[in-house]
Amino acid sequence: MQQTSIGTGYDLSNSVFSPDGRNFQVEYAVKAVENGGTCIGIRTKHGVVLAVEKIITSKLLKPNANKRIATVDRNVGIVTSGLLPDGRHLTSRARDEASSWRRTYKAPIPMSALASRLGGYVQAYTLYSSVRPFGISAIVGGWDSEAEMPVDGQVGGGPTGGAGGKASFEDQNIRRGGPGLYMIEPSGLYWVSYIGREVAYFCMLTQDTGLLRCSNRQRSTVRERRT
């Protein structure tokens, strides 16, 4: 069978790349996300807002079922777009990670740590031919504690200076904690999300209503990604 760079012969396994360096199964997973509902995550200085478009494909669907938005921990929530079963699986994994962190460190999991673990988990499904990539994109939002959490069993605060001492956040004018928003792609790539792809597209569509406002640069970026 002759293999070409349009996908024929190169899309049969995760571990196969095309001559131009493309992983077609990951691209197919991204296409599944684009066919799903829109997810929105907004981060402000006061917190994080998560929302998801629920598409009703049949009148026989039970109300309040097939949710794409869920609580991971008391300080973390998640929304997914794409294949619903994949979203359930990733949500379950996120809850396991948050629970494991609490058992180990006796504190809520930081947003950066959760995003890193979920990104690594999703990326592992792009490495082996026996599995397929997740057909979802996820937005994880939450609030990290602004207070320094003591270690379980800790006695005293330890030295504040000198060799082995901990730096003072107040002296360095560093702000700890606060709201966090991360986006996770089917490839396992994750980043701090300020304005996501679907959010920017929604922003461009509502530019005349005043609900959200975008700069011309953001609108041109959305047009490039849509084309």
Side-chain angles (χ1 to χ4, degrees), residues 42-49 75 141-144 146 175 177-180:
I42 302 174
R43 190 186 72 174
T44 70
K45 63 180 180 179
H46 302 293
V48 174
V49 178
N75 65 317
W143 185 280
D144 289 335
E146 297 181 357
R175 184 176 181 272

Side-chain angles (χ1 to χ4, degrees), residues 194-207:
Y194 293 97
I195 178 166
R197 177 174 53 201
E198 298 300 331
V199 180
Y201 182 61
F202 176 78
C203 182
M204 184 184 70
L205 291 179
T206 58
Q207 57 181 314

